[in-house]
Amino acid sequence: MQIDQLYDIYKAFPKVTTDTRNIAADSIFFALKGANFNGNAFADQALAAGAKYVVIDEAQYGKGDHYIVVEDVLSTLQNLAKYHRSHLNIPVIGVTGTNGKTTTKELLYAVLSQQYKTYSTQGNLNNHIGVPLTLLSIDNSYEVAIVEMGANHVGEIALLSNIARPTHGLITNVGKAHLEGFGSFAGVKQAKGELYDFLQENSGVLFLQSDNTELLEMANARTFNKIVRYGFSDQNNVIGKLLHANPYLSISWKIKDTTPIYEVSTSLTGAYNIENFLAAIAVGLHFKVGPIPINRGIEEYVPKNNRSQITKTAKNTIIADFYNANASSMSAALDNMKVLDADRKVVILGDMFEMGEDAYVEHKKIIALAKSLRLDRLIFVGEEFYAQRESGGEYYRTTEEAKSAISTISDSFVLLKASRGMAFEKLLEQL
């Protein structure tokens, strides 16, 4: 079946899924394969659950007119999304970066949705499967789309950009994460820079934190149709300043060469998030959203999914920031503890995953940084940290082992930071 023929079917039945647990009536099920499953084997189940068509790439599973046989289901899903994108005459903002891309995506949505019907990536659908599903969820009633793009190896952002074809884009930052896949920090910059490459080649608009030396260097190596700059120095189009971070952020901002200064209070903690706010402000202004609705969108935004999220229990106040972790986000979280005004501070850190050959060195750096802070308790959890246990902290091999040790913590401001695989939600229960 040709892609235009499949597109006609999609237009008649525009709900798409890859999971038989989430079948909607009259949807199209794409039978993807994984290391431990074969979606083709679930084709009958998908139809029984209400799917109108199933797309398969093993002909023996096809038993009638509601089975669409293609050469490869994944590439067909991606090509259909790309074809659909070519029929969407709206701006698409691509967002990637080592840290903060999901928070930035949500802030962009909070601001732009004040004025436009906006679609943004749902959950963590930001990879080679998620981005196509995101695009296929957008119809012509939307006026702007925000597409988050994640990667763990070189070439992936290029692939996703070719599918989503962003007209605008930004990289939040570049840091040491997924080093197993990227190979090195240079590999991280090369991979994230693939969004810059696409914007350069397609006359896109770049939003740039131009006080970030790595991003500025990457941008200066390319030529763009237009750059909107945000940051802290006077060279930027949007200039911001941190007012308070105890623990929620309050910021001020202004537009270059103008006198009004705007102030906004937020529900986010973490001084590092000010850059994400400024990105949303810069994007909002570019799309003609006024300062008052911009601030309203920021003030109404409430974080979730354990990203820079304040949780108050009967015993403690906790920064729940364990959706993910890497060397740069861990450092930023520790730096933020310096500016928090609290009588008792406790830091509980878990292993950072996918650090490759740099794991030992990067965990050692985090230990040194954490020990330089004035903390009431410092707790490290996980095999990587435990392997280099030393004086000046408490060390536990597993999250389960740490549970009883932290149950005595009370009347404290606690940072919980770890990679998702450490399951730190189990520690939250003890605090």
Side-chain angles (χ1 to χ4, degrees), residues 297-318:
I298 290 173
E299 288 175 346
E300 292 174 350
Y301 171 70
V302 178
K304 53 188 176 181
N305 296 329
N306 300 311
R307 290 182 172 95
S308 302
Q309 190 172 342
I310 296 288
T311 299
K312 292 189 177 182
T313 69
K315 297 193 297 181
N316 300 289
T317 301
I318 301 159

Side-chain angles (χ1 to χ4, degrees), residues 50-112:
K52 191 71 174 181
Y53 289 93
V54 293
V55 180
I56 59 176
D57 52 18
E58 295 183 14
Q60 66 267 32
Y61 290 97
K63 303 172 184 177
D65 294 340
H66 295 276
Y67 295 80
I68 300 171
V69 182
V70 298
E71 185 172 337
D72 180 79
V73 171
L74 175 58
S75 61
T76 299
L77 177 67
Q78 294 171 340
N79 289 334
L80 179 65
K82 182 178 179 180
Y83 193 77
H84 178 54
R85 169 66 184 99
S86 70
H87 291 78
L88 294 172
N89 188 27
I90 61 172
V92 172
I93 306 166
V95 179
T96 192
T98 300
N99 304 309
K101 54 184 174 290
T102 297
T103 298
T104 299
K105 175 257 299 184
E106 292 176 351
L107 288 169
L108 293 184
Y109 177 85
V111 167
L112 292 175

Side-chain angles (χ1 to χ4, degrees), residues 125-172:
L125 294 176
N126 63 7
N127 64 5
H128 62 295
I129 298 170
V131 167
L133 291 175
T134 294
L135 291 168
L136 292 169
S137 299
I138 303 171
D139 60 39
N140 284 313
S141 69
Y142 288 97
E143 298 173 291
V144 62
I146 307 156
V147 178
E148 179 183 338
M149 298 186 289
N152 55 23
H153 61 268
V154 172
E156 193 165 6
I157 296 296
L159 169 69
L160 300 181
S161 296
N162 192 44
I163 296 170
R165 305 200 64 80
T167 54
H168 304 68
L170 67 91
I171 300 175
T172 56

Side-chain angles (χ1 to χ4, degrees), residues 358-377:
D358 292 343
Y360 185 88
V361 171
E362 294 302 329
H363 281 82
K364 190 176 185 66
K365 288 179 181 177
I366 293 301
I367 291 172
L369 176 59
K371 287 170 63 176
S372 72
L373 306 178
R374 299 180 63 180
L375 301 170
D376 293 277
R377 284 184 74 177

Side-chain angles (χ1 to χ4, degrees), residues 183-218:
S184 65
F185 182 46
V188 175
K189 292 195 290 185
Q190 178 184 345
K192 301 300 183 183
E194 290 163 5
L195 175 58
Y196 281 6
D197 292 336
F198 185 89
L199 294 174
Q200 173 184 246
E201 294 163 6
N202 294 275
S203 300
V205 177
L206 171 65
F207 299 98
L208 174 66
Q209 207 290 59
S210 64
D211 293 322
N212 182 309
T213 55
E214 298 286 356
L215 295 181
L216 183 62
E217 176 186 304
M218 292 165 63

